[in-house]
Amino acid sequence: MTSHDTHWFYALFAMLILFVLPSTSTAELELHISKSAGDGVPIAIAPISGGANFIIEADLKRSGRFTTQRLTNKTKLSIFGGALSATVLKTIKAEYLIRGRLAKTGLDIELIEISTGSKAAVFRIGHVTNRRRMAHKAADKIFERITRLKGAFDTRLAYVTSTGHRPNKHYRLYIADSDGYNPHIILNSNQPIMSPSWSPDGSKLAYVSFESGKSAIYVQDIFTGKKRIISGKKGINGAPTWSPNGSQIAMSLSVDGNSEIYILSVHNGALKRLTNDRAIDTEPAWSGDGRAIIFTSNRGGAAQLYKIPAHGGQARRMTFMGSYNSAADIVGNKIALVRRNGGQFRIAIMQMGGSGADIISTGKYDESPSLAPNGTMIAYATQRKGRGKLVVVSDNGKSKQELHAPEGEVREPAWSPYIR
Amino acid sequence: MLREILKHPSALLIAIIIHLLIVMIFIVSFNWTEPPVGQEAGIPIELIQEIPLASIQPLDANIPPANIEVTEKENEQNNDQPALDNTAKLLVAQKAAKLLAEQKNRTKANTDKERRKQKLATEKRKKEKQAEKDAREKAAKAYTEKKTKEKAEKENAAKEYAEKKVKEKAAKEYAEKKAKEKAAKEYTEKKAKEKEAKEYAIKKAKEKAAKEKAAKEYTEKKAKEKAAKEYAIKKAKEKAAKEKATKEYTEKKAKEKAAKEYAIKKAKEKAAKEKAAKEYTEKKAKEKAAKEYAIKKAKKKAAKEKAAKKYAAKKAREKAKAKKKKEEDAKKAKIVAAKAKKEARDKKIRDASIKKWNEKKRLEKEKKIAAEKKATEEKEQKKQAAIIAKKKVLEAKLTAAKAYASKAAKLKAKTNWGKRIVTHVKRRWQIPPGTQGMSAKVRIKVSPSGYIRGAVEMVRCGGDATYCASIIQAYKNAEPLPRPSRNDLDRTFLITMDDQ
């Protein structure tokens, strides 16, 4: 090969490289996101006087969307309004830093984006008597700022406890904060109390009580304590559920001997039968738009969920997986339910119109799922060492917290709507 | 000096600390409760209370208190019984006087005894005090000595401590300095290595280029040297030829000159000889004539005539000879001139011939050199062209390598950035329940500020509408995404999302 040929060869080779390289580098980089191994948004929380940081941490953790980290050192960085050094910030292995200050006027919170060192949000929670609520409100704000979903930590839970043994068994209807703290009794009874359900405005509770010797559905104002009976018909009066607009209550009645779904007008007391089947139809739940009701029925041989238009019509089976699906609670397009899974009753979550469901609890007898108003958490009752307990699990199943609750068997939690 | 001190604030601070430390050690070591000793002691104050002797009422040791009481009782009883007469009173008074006298005597004796006792006691106290004072002084002295010793020890210790501290500090500073130096050295070494590694390629290329250049220069130099050598040889030859010709010419000229001079010399010698011969002849003739004049005076007339005749003849001969000689000289000069002219002509011809030949030779040589030069130049040009071509290839290779490295770095940066985006989005993706096995592929173009340009493009949705909507929502929630590390990155990603 002559020198000229060699030169040509090299020149061609170089040109080839020059032409080929850009074409390969400009090709789109293909990435892969697998959700199975995902973790939450890492967030560091600095100490706040009064312990608000612990409440915020527990709240954020409970949502299953965050991995929290405590800043133990009381450094300048951790002080509300303190200087933000980019170098020091980088030592925190988190995306955000929360700093706070409890003042007479309320709770001041700073949400700092660590990558840029800028303040993503600064807000003040006005002073309220219940200091825990201030922390819950702060957690709601932080949650909303990061996930763009409204927070539901400043909400309430209603649940029933039973203490003692027959004939001295005692039932209490409680209202507590969403984390189980600040429990207040709103009803004491020697007779069973069941199925509490919140009105959409969060001011009333509908429940079933046997205080008159038979089952009856009551509505009680939680602030005044005034209550009135809305259904005390023959047979079973059970499972009341408020419609999203608060004008109707769906319930299960066995006036005709068989348990059917009825809708009661709150304004005029008009009762409308929705289902008519020889099987048991119970546990109605309103769809988010109030146009349909999902209920449990064994018309197919085993308990399954069915959907029926709220104005009446043909019921359509919704669940096909699992031999037992019941006790639906709906928020948005999420449905929480109880599913029998290998002989164990567990809480599952599915989406409206979907066929599959994710099992998110691990107990043997988990029951009464109730979704938080933003659909990110589910409160349910479970059995631990023979005693009923309340547990809150995140909708993605990544976080599970047993709630602080008074003594006795705790059952049938009902998560309140957003508190206005 | 103050400026110098202020230039080293740490040294100033250390000096202040050391001074303060010494003052503190001095204060601590000083016993403020220590009594003064020696000259500083002054007059000691003795707190001894002087009790007046009159005020001392010694009791009779022989009379028990019970008896006194009884007496008083009896007196009281006597008072109650005024019937007791004055005798009893007198007796009592006598007894009392006696008792008083006895008491006085006893008192006096006791007083003397007491005085002696007191004197003894005072003396004893004085002695004790003296002893005590001595002991105290001794103790104070010992204490002072001890304190002085302790102080000295403390001062020594403090000094040692300060020295130790200074040494430690110096050692620490030295260690720190060393560590810093080491770190700096390591850093420098690292940097140097990096630089070296970086420069290595450039150096190699430069070396190669330099070698090539050197080779080229060497070739050029050689060629020049050769040409110069040849030129020198040529010049030398030319010079030699010229020198030879000049030499020959000079020699010829010298010969000619010598011949000419020789001829002139010969002519002159001949003329001189002739003149000398003539003069000699004339002299001889004169002498002969004088002799003959003296001897043959008589024959003078005849001889005179004869001599005159002879002289005339001689004169005529000499004249003819001189004429002949002149003619011969002229002829000789003419011959020489003709010869010289001929030689000059010949030389001219010869020179012209040499010049012609030399010119011919020079032209041939120049032609040859020009041909050689041309060949060398052609060869050099070829070589140069080869070097340039090689250089171009190398440059192209280098450019390609640079481009490749740049692209590789970009790709790496993009991959890292992509990983950060993946983590960021993953943390915010709320996958709907019951969507196991579903997957989707999206394409996003990210702005330098981390925001998605346009919309998230759903390339493939392998799930239900809620699932794919959750993916779109995840990207919306994740905005702003992590920013790219460099602005020149291609910012388009194709992302597969699933729950595998």
Side-chain angles (χ1 to χ4, degrees), chain A residues 7 10 28-36 95 148 351 358, chain B residues 389 393 426-429 436 441 443 466 479 494 496 500:
Chain A
H7 300 158
Y10 284 130
E28 287 168 332
L29 184 67
E30 192 156 355
L31 304 170
H32 185 239
I33 296 180
S34 167
K35 194 57 195 164
S36 57
E95 283 190 25
R148 319 228 172 143
Q351 54 177 329
D358 293 341
Chain B
V393 170
K426 199 172 175 180
R427 285 169 177 166
R428 286 159 178 82
W429 182 25
Q436 290 92 337
K441 193 176 263 190
R443 181 181 284 115
T466 319
E479 279 184 305
L494 195 63
T496 306
Q500 300 303 307

PDB file of all heavy atoms in Angstrom, chain A residues 7 10 28-36 95 148 351 358, chain B residues 389 393 426-429 436 441 443 466 479 494 496 500:
ATOM      1  N   HIS A   7      -2.943   7.368   3.385  1.00  0.00           N
ATOM      2  CA  HIS A   7      -3.555   8.643   3.763  1.00  0.00           C
ATOM      3  C   HIS A   7      -5.037   8.643   3.516  1.00  0.00           C
ATOM      4  O   HIS A   7      -5.825   9.052   4.367  1.00  0.00           O
ATOM      5  CB  HIS A   7      -2.890   9.795   2.989  1.00  0.00           C
ATOM      6  CG  HIS A   7      -1.427   9.897   3.278  1.00  0.00           C
ATOM      7  ND1 HIS A   7      -0.538  10.520   2.422  1.00  0.00           N
ATOM      8  CD2 HIS A   7      -0.701   9.440   4.315  1.00  0.00           C
ATOM      9  CE1 HIS A   7       0.662  10.443   2.922  1.00  0.00           C
ATOM     10  NE2 HIS A   7       0.590   9.776   4.060  1.00  0.00           N
ATOM     11  N   TYR A  10      -6.741   6.531   6.119  1.00  0.00           N
ATOM     12  CA  TYR A  10      -6.890   7.209   7.410  1.00  0.00           C
ATOM     13  C   TYR A  10      -7.942   8.302   7.353  1.00  0.00           C
ATOM     14  O   TYR A  10      -8.742   8.477   8.281  1.00  0.00           O
ATOM     15  CB  TYR A  10      -5.549   7.805   7.855  1.00  0.00           C
ATOM     16  CG  TYR A  10      -4.590   6.771   8.392  1.00  0.00           C
ATOM     17  CD1 TYR A  10      -3.277   6.698   7.941  1.00  0.00           C
ATOM     18  CD2 TYR A  10      -5.013   5.857   9.369  1.00  0.00           C
ATOM     19  CE1 TYR A  10      -2.404   5.750   8.428  1.00  0.00           C
ATOM     20  CE2 TYR A  10      -4.135   4.910   9.859  1.00  0.00           C
ATOM     21  CZ  TYR A  10      -2.835   4.856   9.389  1.00  0.00           C
ATOM     22  OH  TYR A  10      -1.974   3.927   9.888  1.00  0.00           O
ATOM     23  N   GLU A  28     -31.516   8.941  21.419  1.00  0.00           N
ATOM     24  CA  GLU A  28     -32.157   9.168  22.717  1.00  0.00           C
ATOM     25  C   GLU A  28     -31.642   8.174  23.746  1.00  0.00           C
ATOM     26  O   GLU A  28     -31.475   6.996  23.458  1.00  0.00           O
ATOM     27  CB  GLU A  28     -33.665   8.986  22.569  1.00  0.00           C
ATOM     28  CG  GLU A  28     -34.316  10.118  21.833  1.00  0.00           C
ATOM     29  CD  GLU A  28     -35.731   9.773  21.463  1.00  0.00           C
ATOM     30  OE1 GLU A  28     -36.031   8.580  21.281  1.00  0.00           O
ATOM     31  OE2 GLU A  28     -36.529  10.699  21.369  1.00  0.00           O
ATOM     32  N   LEU A  29     -31.432   8.687  24.903  1.00  0.00           N
ATOM     33  CA  LEU A  29     -31.006   7.811  25.983  1.00  0.00           C
ATOM     34  C   LEU A  29     -32.246   7.143  26.552  1.00  0.00           C
ATOM     35  O   LEU A  29     -33.213   7.816  26.897  1.00  0.00           O
ATOM     36  CB  LEU A  29     -30.309   8.634  27.074  1.00  0.00           C
ATOM     37  CG  LEU A  29     -29.724   7.816  28.212  1.00  0.00           C
ATOM     38  CD1 LEU A  29     -28.569   6.966  27.729  1.00  0.00           C
ATOM     39  CD2 LEU A  29     -29.247   8.732  29.311  1.00  0.00           C
ATOM     40  N   GLU A  30     -32.203   5.829  26.621  1.00  0.00           N
ATOM     41  CA  GLU A  30     -33.375   5.111  27.113  1.00  0.00           C
ATOM     42  C   GLU A  30     -33.185   4.764  28.576  1.00  0.00           C
ATOM     43  O   GLU A  30     -32.175   4.188  28.973  1.00  0.00           O
ATOM     44  CB  GLU A  30     -33.612   3.861  26.271  1.00  0.00           C
ATOM     45  CG  GLU A  30     -34.977   3.253  26.559  1.00  0.00           C
ATOM     46  CD  GLU A  30     -35.503   2.421  25.398  1.00  0.00           C
ATOM     47  OE1 GLU A  30     -34.852   2.406  24.354  1.00  0.00           O
ATOM     48  OE2 GLU A  30     -36.559   1.793  25.566  1.00  0.00           O
ATOM     49  N   LEU A  31     -34.144   5.150  29.371  1.00  0.00           N
ATOM     50  CA  LEU A  31     -34.090   4.914  30.814  1.00  0.00           C
ATOM     51  C   LEU A  31     -35.226   3.991  31.216  1.00  0.00           C
ATOM     52  O   LEU A  31     -36.158   3.759  30.454  1.00  0.00           O
ATOM     53  CB  LEU A  31     -34.216   6.242  31.569  1.00  0.00           C
ATOM     54  CG  LEU A  31     -33.190   7.319  31.193  1.00  0.00           C
ATOM     55  CD1 LEU A  31     -33.573   8.636  31.806  1.00  0.00           C
ATOM     56  CD2 LEU A  31     -31.799   6.908  31.635  1.00  0.00           C
ATOM     57  N   HIS A  32     -35.123   3.543  32.463  1.00  0.00           N
ATOM     58  CA  HIS A  32     -36.126   2.604  32.943  1.00  0.00           C
ATOM     59  C   HIS A  32     -36.541   2.944  34.374  1.00  0.00           C
ATOM     60  O   HIS A  32     -35.677   3.100  35.234  1.00  0.00           O
ATOM     61  CB  HIS A  32     -35.538   1.174  32.878  1.00  0.00           C
ATOM     62  CG  HIS A  32     -36.522   0.124  33.239  1.00  0.00           C
ATOM     63  ND1 HIS A  32     -36.312  -0.736  34.272  1.00  0.00           N
ATOM     64  CD2 HIS A  32     -37.728  -0.179  32.723  1.00  0.00           C
ATOM     65  CE1 HIS A  32     -37.360  -1.548  34.366  1.00  0.00           C
ATOM     66  NE2 HIS A  32     -38.219  -1.224  33.439  1.00  0.00           N
ATOM     67  N   ILE A  33     -37.810   3.099  34.577  1.00  0.00           N
ATOM     68  CA  ILE A  33     -38.302   3.370  35.929  1.00  0.00           C
ATOM     69  C   ILE A  33     -39.145   2.185  36.368  1.00  0.00           C
ATOM     70  O   ILE A  33     -40.189   1.894  35.788  1.00  0.00           O
ATOM     71  CB  ILE A  33     -39.139   4.667  35.979  1.00  0.00           C
ATOM     72  CG1 ILE A  33     -38.263   5.868  35.632  1.00  0.00           C
ATOM     73  CG2 ILE A  33     -39.755   4.852  37.352  1.00  0.00           C
ATOM     74  CD1 ILE A  33     -38.975   7.194  35.640  1.00  0.00           C
ATOM     75  N   SER A  34     -38.656   1.521  37.393  1.00  0.00           N
ATOM     76  CA  SER A  34     -39.418   0.405  37.941  1.00  0.00           C
ATOM     77  C   SER A  34     -39.944   0.826  39.298  1.00  0.00           C
ATOM     78  O   SER A  34     -39.185   1.229  40.172  1.00  0.00           O
ATOM     79  CB  SER A  34     -38.500  -0.810  38.079  1.00  0.00           C
ATOM     80  OG  SER A  34     -39.134  -1.770  38.861  1.00  0.00           O
ATOM     81  N   LYS A  35     -41.223   0.744  39.464  1.00  0.00           N
ATOM     82  CA  LYS A  35     -41.820   1.263  40.697  1.00  0.00           C
ATOM     83  C   LYS A  35     -41.613   0.337  41.884  1.00  0.00           C
ATOM     84  O   LYS A  35     -41.701   0.766  43.030  1.00  0.00           O
ATOM     85  CB  LYS A  35     -43.327   1.495  40.458  1.00  0.00           C
ATOM     86  CG  LYS A  35     -44.005   2.327  41.512  1.00  0.00           C
ATOM     87  CD  LYS A  35     -43.352   3.696  41.666  1.00  0.00           C
ATOM     88  CE  LYS A  35     -43.790   4.362  42.949  1.00  0.00           C
ATOM     89  NZ  LYS A  35     -42.928   5.461  43.310  1.00  0.00           N
ATOM     90  N   SER A  36     -41.317  -0.923  41.591  1.00  0.00           N
ATOM     91  CA  SER A  36     -41.270  -1.897  42.686  1.00  0.00           C
ATOM     92  C   SER A  36     -40.224  -1.537  43.741  1.00  0.00           C
ATOM     93  O   SER A  36     -40.433  -1.763  44.919  1.00  0.00           O
ATOM     94  CB  SER A  36     -40.982  -3.288  42.128  1.00  0.00           C
ATOM     95  OG  SER A  36     -39.776  -3.253  41.408  1.00  0.00           O
ATOM     96  N   GLU A  95     -34.110  15.600  49.763  1.00  0.00           N
ATOM     97  CA  GLU A  95     -34.497  16.582  48.737  1.00  0.00           C
ATOM     98  C   GLU A  95     -34.971  17.867  49.376  1.00  0.00           C
ATOM     99  O   GLU A  95     -34.826  18.946  48.803  1.00  0.00           O
ATOM    100  CB  GLU A  95     -35.599  16.011  47.850  1.00  0.00           C
ATOM    101  CG  GLU A  95     -35.096  15.021  46.823  1.00  0.00           C
ATOM    102  CD  GLU A  95     -36.163  14.650  45.804  1.00  0.00           C
ATOM    103  OE1 GLU A  95     -37.096  15.443  45.580  1.00  0.00           O
ATOM    104  OE2 GLU A  95     -36.066  13.545  45.250  1.00  0.00           O
ATOM    105  N   ARG A 148     -48.493  17.627  45.410  1.00  0.00           N
ATOM    106  CA  ARG A 148     -49.582  18.293  44.693  1.00  0.00           C
ATOM    107  C   ARG A 148     -50.929  17.625  44.973  1.00  0.00           C
ATOM    108  O   ARG A 148     -51.849  17.678  44.171  1.00  0.00           O
ATOM    109  CB  ARG A 148     -49.318  18.341  43.194  1.00  0.00           C
ATOM    110  CG  ARG A 148     -47.873  18.665  42.892  1.00  0.00           C
ATOM    111  CD  ARG A 148     -47.679  19.714  41.901  1.00  0.00           C
ATOM    112  NE  ARG A 148     -46.256  20.064  41.850  1.00  0.00           N
ATOM    113  CZ  ARG A 148     -45.611  20.381  40.758  1.00  0.00           C
ATOM    114  NH1 ARG A 148     -46.228  20.405  39.620  1.00  0.00           N
ATOM    115  NH2 ARG A 148     -44.330  20.712  40.800  1.00  0.00           N
ATOM    116  N   GLN A 351     -58.892   0.298  41.654  1.00  0.00           N
ATOM    117  CA  GLN A 351     -59.400   1.539  41.076  1.00  0.00           C
ATOM    118  C   GLN A 351     -60.737   1.275  40.385  1.00  0.00           C
ATOM    119  O   GLN A 351     -60.992   0.181  39.893  1.00  0.00           O
ATOM    120  CB  GLN A 351     -58.390   2.154  40.127  1.00  0.00           C
ATOM    121  CG  GLN A 351     -57.912   1.226  39.053  1.00  0.00           C
ATOM    122  CD  GLN A 351     -56.970   1.914  38.089  1.00  0.00           C
ATOM    123  OE1 GLN A 351     -57.100   3.104  37.855  1.00  0.00           O
ATOM    124  NE2 GLN A 351     -56.058   1.157  37.526  1.00  0.00           N
ATOM    125  N   ASP A 358     -54.596  -4.409  44.723  1.00  0.00           N
ATOM    126  CA  ASP A 358     -53.372  -4.645  45.486  1.00  0.00           C
ATOM    127  C   ASP A 358     -53.727  -4.916  46.937  1.00  0.00           C
ATOM    128  O   ASP A 358     -54.492  -4.161  47.541  1.00  0.00           O
ATOM    129  CB  ASP A 358     -52.470  -3.401  45.441  1.00  0.00           C
ATOM    130  CG  ASP A 358     -51.940  -3.139  44.052  1.00  0.00           C
ATOM    131  OD1 ASP A 358     -51.955  -4.089  43.232  1.00  0.00           O
ATOM    132  OD2 ASP A 358     -51.540  -2.006  43.776  1.00  0.00           O
TER     133      ASP A 358
ATOM    134  N   ALA B 389       0.471  14.795   4.735  1.00  0.00           N
ATOM    135  CA  ALA B 389      -0.654  13.860   4.652  1.00  0.00           C
ATOM    136  C   ALA B 389      -0.776  13.061   5.944  1.00  0.00           C
ATOM    137  O   ALA B 389      -1.878  12.891   6.500  1.00  0.00           O
ATOM    138  CB  ALA B 389      -0.437  12.925   3.469  1.00  0.00           C
ATOM    139  N   VAL B 393      -3.730  13.076   8.667  1.00  0.00           N
ATOM    140  CA  VAL B 393      -4.393  11.853   9.143  1.00  0.00           C
ATOM    141  C   VAL B 393      -4.388  11.816  10.663  1.00  0.00           C
ATOM    142  O   VAL B 393      -5.394  11.512  11.311  1.00  0.00           O
ATOM    143  CB  VAL B 393      -3.700  10.605   8.551  1.00  0.00           C
ATOM    144  CG1 VAL B 393      -4.208   9.345   9.211  1.00  0.00           C
ATOM    145  CG2 VAL B 393      -3.956  10.530   7.060  1.00  0.00           C
ATOM    146  N   LYS B 426     -39.483   8.647  40.050  1.00  0.00           N
ATOM    147  CA  LYS B 426     -39.910   7.417  40.724  1.00  0.00           C
ATOM    148  C   LYS B 426     -40.491   7.702  42.107  1.00  0.00           C
ATOM    149  O   LYS B 426     -41.466   7.107  42.532  1.00  0.00           O
ATOM    150  CB  LYS B 426     -38.675   6.522  40.858  1.00  0.00           C
ATOM    151  CG  LYS B 426     -38.960   5.082  41.109  1.00  0.00           C
ATOM    152  CD  LYS B 426     -37.632   4.362  41.010  1.00  0.00           C
ATOM    153  CE  LYS B 426     -37.738   2.931  41.356  1.00  0.00           C
ATOM    154  NZ  LYS B 426     -36.429   2.270  41.248  1.00  0.00           N
ATOM    155  N   ARG B 427     -39.852   8.659  42.787  1.00  0.00           N
ATOM    156  CA  ARG B 427     -40.320   9.006  44.125  1.00  0.00           C
ATOM    157  C   ARG B 427     -41.691   9.670  44.100  1.00  0.00           C
ATOM    158  O   ARG B 427     -42.355   9.759  45.106  1.00  0.00           O
ATOM    159  CB  ARG B 427     -39.307   9.959  44.773  1.00  0.00           C
ATOM    160  CG  ARG B 427     -38.056   9.264  45.239  1.00  0.00           C
ATOM    161  CD  ARG B 427     -37.005  10.265  45.613  1.00  0.00           C
ATOM    162  NE  ARG B 427     -35.815   9.593  46.126  1.00  0.00           N
ATOM    163  CZ  ARG B 427     -34.641  10.175  46.289  1.00  0.00           C
ATOM    164  NH1 ARG B 427     -34.488  11.444  45.973  1.00  0.00           N
ATOM    165  NH2 ARG B 427     -33.623   9.515  46.775  1.00  0.00           N
ATOM    166  N   ARG B 428     -42.059  10.172  42.962  1.00  0.00           N
ATOM    167  CA  ARG B 428     -43.320  10.915  42.881  1.00  0.00           C
ATOM    168  C   ARG B 428     -44.398  10.186  42.079  1.00  0.00           C
ATOM    169  O   ARG B 428     -45.472  10.712  41.869  1.00  0.00           O
ATOM    170  CB  ARG B 428     -43.040  12.282  42.267  1.00  0.00           C
ATOM    171  CG  ARG B 428     -42.335  13.196  43.251  1.00  0.00           C
ATOM    172  CD  ARG B 428     -41.614  14.321  42.565  1.00  0.00           C
ATOM    173  NE  ARG B 428     -40.988  15.216  43.516  1.00  0.00           N
ATOM    174  CZ  ARG B 428     -39.814  15.007  44.102  1.00  0.00           C
ATOM    175  NH1 ARG B 428     -39.130  13.917  43.824  1.00  0.00           N
ATOM    176  NH2 ARG B 428     -39.316  15.856  44.980  1.00  0.00           N
ATOM    177  N   TRP B 429     -44.073   9.033  41.618  1.00  0.00           N
ATOM    178  CA  TRP B 429     -45.040   8.286  40.820  1.00  0.00           C
ATOM    179  C   TRP B 429     -45.948   7.478  41.749  1.00  0.00           C
ATOM    180  O   TRP B 429     -45.486   6.579  42.444  1.00  0.00           O
ATOM    181  CB  TRP B 429     -44.289   7.369  39.852  1.00  0.00           C
ATOM    182  CG  TRP B 429     -45.203   6.579  38.952  1.00  0.00           C
ATOM    183  CD1 TRP B 429     -46.467   6.899  38.573  1.00  0.00           C
ATOM    184  CD2 TRP B 429     -44.901   5.349  38.315  1.00  0.00           C
ATOM    185  NE1 TRP B 429     -46.984   5.960  37.744  1.00  0.00           N
ATOM    186  CE2 TRP B 429     -46.037   4.981  37.557  1.00  0.00           C
ATOM    187  CE3 TRP B 429     -43.786   4.521  38.282  1.00  0.00           C
ATOM    188  CZ2 TRP B 429     -46.082   3.818  36.802  1.00  0.00           C
ATOM    189  CZ3 TRP B 429     -43.832   3.362  37.520  1.00  0.00           C
ATOM    190  CH2 TRP B 429     -44.963   3.021  36.784  1.00  0.00           C
ATOM    191  N   GLN B 436     -50.586  -4.212  38.104  1.00  0.00           N
ATOM    192  CA  GLN B 436     -49.412  -5.068  37.965  1.00  0.00           C
ATOM    193  C   GLN B 436     -49.273  -5.532  36.517  1.00  0.00           C
ATOM    194  O   GLN B 436     -50.267  -5.857  35.871  1.00  0.00           O
ATOM    195  CB  GLN B 436     -49.514  -6.314  38.864  1.00  0.00           C
ATOM    196  CG  GLN B 436     -49.398  -6.003  40.328  1.00  0.00           C
ATOM    197  CD  GLN B 436     -50.744  -5.778  40.957  1.00  0.00           C
ATOM    198  OE1 GLN B 436     -51.706  -5.445  40.278  1.00  0.00           O
ATOM    199  NE2 GLN B 436     -50.811  -5.948  42.255  1.00  0.00           N
ATOM    200  N   LYS B 441     -44.170   3.600  27.792  1.00  0.00           N
ATOM    201  CA  LYS B 441     -42.921   4.244  27.357  1.00  0.00           C
ATOM    202  C   LYS B 441     -43.235   5.694  27.007  1.00  0.00           C
ATOM    203  O   LYS B 441     -44.187   5.957  26.264  1.00  0.00           O
ATOM    204  CB  LYS B 441     -42.361   3.501  26.149  1.00  0.00           C
ATOM    205  CG  LYS B 441     -40.936   3.891  25.808  1.00  0.00           C
ATOM    206  CD  LYS B 441     -40.420   3.057  24.665  1.00  0.00           C
ATOM    207  CE  LYS B 441     -39.593   1.879  25.150  1.00  0.00           C
ATOM    208  NZ  LYS B 441     -38.896   1.187  24.090  1.00  0.00           N
ATOM    209  N   ARG B 443     -41.627   9.766  26.133  1.00  0.00           N
ATOM    210  CA  ARG B 443     -40.491  10.558  25.672  1.00  0.00           C
ATOM    211  C   ARG B 443     -40.651  11.952  26.247  1.00  0.00           C
ATOM    212  O   ARG B 443     -41.729  12.540  26.170  1.00  0.00           O
ATOM    213  CB  ARG B 443     -40.452  10.626  24.151  1.00  0.00           C
ATOM    214  CG  ARG B 443     -39.246  11.427  23.628  1.00  0.00           C
ATOM    215  CD  ARG B 443     -39.217  11.512  22.114  1.00  0.00           C
ATOM    216  NE  ARG B 443     -38.780  10.278  21.490  1.00  0.00           N
ATOM    217  CZ  ARG B 443     -39.534   9.512  20.711  1.00  0.00           C
ATOM    218  NH1 ARG B 443     -40.782   9.858  20.466  1.00  0.00           N
ATOM    219  NH2 ARG B 443     -39.070   8.406  20.187  1.00  0.00           N
ATOM    220  N   THR B 466     -55.913   4.989  33.361  1.00  0.00           N
ATOM    221  CA  THR B 466     -55.527   5.508  34.678  1.00  0.00           C
ATOM    222  C   THR B 466     -54.028   5.336  34.894  1.00  0.00           C
ATOM    223  O   THR B 466     -53.361   6.219  35.436  1.00  0.00           O
ATOM    224  CB  THR B 466     -56.286   4.749  35.789  1.00  0.00           C
ATOM    225  OG1 THR B 466     -57.615   4.562  35.363  1.00  0.00           O
ATOM    226  CG2 THR B 466     -56.247   5.497  37.091  1.00  0.00           C
ATOM    227  N   GLU B 479     -41.912  18.002  38.296  1.00  0.00           N
ATOM    228  CA  GLU B 479     -41.313  19.250  37.802  1.00  0.00           C
ATOM    229  C   GLU B 479     -41.049  20.230  38.934  1.00  0.00           C
ATOM    230  O   GLU B 479     -41.899  20.353  39.827  1.00  0.00           O
ATOM    231  CB  GLU B 479     -42.236  19.899  36.773  1.00  0.00           C
ATOM    232  CG  GLU B 479     -42.113  19.288  35.394  1.00  0.00           C
ATOM    233  CD  GLU B 479     -42.962  20.017  34.365  1.00  0.00           C
ATOM    234  OE1 GLU B 479     -44.190  20.141  34.594  1.00  0.00           O
ATOM    235  OE2 GLU B 479     -42.418  20.461  33.355  1.00  0.00           O
ATOM    236  N   LEU B 494     -36.003   8.708  26.494  1.00  0.00           N
ATOM    237  CA  LEU B 494     -37.066   7.741  26.241  1.00  0.00           C
ATOM    238  C   LEU B 494     -37.110   6.867  27.498  1.00  0.00           C
ATOM    239  O   LEU B 494     -36.130   6.210  27.831  1.00  0.00           O
ATOM    240  CB  LEU B 494     -36.707   6.917  25.001  1.00  0.00           C
ATOM    241  CG  LEU B 494     -37.808   6.098  24.358  1.00  0.00           C
ATOM    242  CD1 LEU B 494     -38.913   6.997  23.845  1.00  0.00           C
ATOM    243  CD2 LEU B 494     -37.245   5.286  23.200  1.00  0.00           C
ATOM    244  N   THR B 496     -38.923   3.978  29.906  1.00  0.00           N
ATOM    245  CA  THR B 496     -39.873   2.877  30.071  1.00  0.00           C
ATOM    246  C   THR B 496     -40.272   2.823  31.536  1.00  0.00           C
ATOM    247  O   THR B 496     -39.412   2.884  32.420  1.00  0.00           O
ATOM    248  CB  THR B 496     -39.222   1.542  29.658  1.00  0.00           C
ATOM    249  OG1 THR B 496     -38.725   1.689  28.345  1.00  0.00           O
ATOM    250  CG2 THR B 496     -40.205   0.392  29.717  1.00  0.00           C
ATOM    251  N   GLN B 500     -41.750  -3.870  37.149  1.00  0.00           N
ATOM    252  CA  GLN B 500     -40.949  -5.118  37.180  1.00  0.00           C
ATOM    253  C   GLN B 500     -39.871  -5.049  38.235  1.00  0.00           C
ATOM    254  O   GLN B 500     -39.329  -4.009  38.470  1.00  0.00           O
ATOM    255  CB  GLN B 500     -40.329  -5.366  35.813  1.00  0.00           C
ATOM    256  CG  GLN B 500     -41.356  -5.523  34.707  1.00  0.00           C
ATOM    257  CD  GLN B 500     -42.360  -6.608  34.933  1.00  0.00           C
ATOM    258  OE1 GLN B 500     -41.985  -7.743  35.187  1.00  0.00           O
ATOM    259  NE2 GLN B 500     -43.642  -6.291  34.888  1.00  0.00           N
TER     260      GLN B 500
END
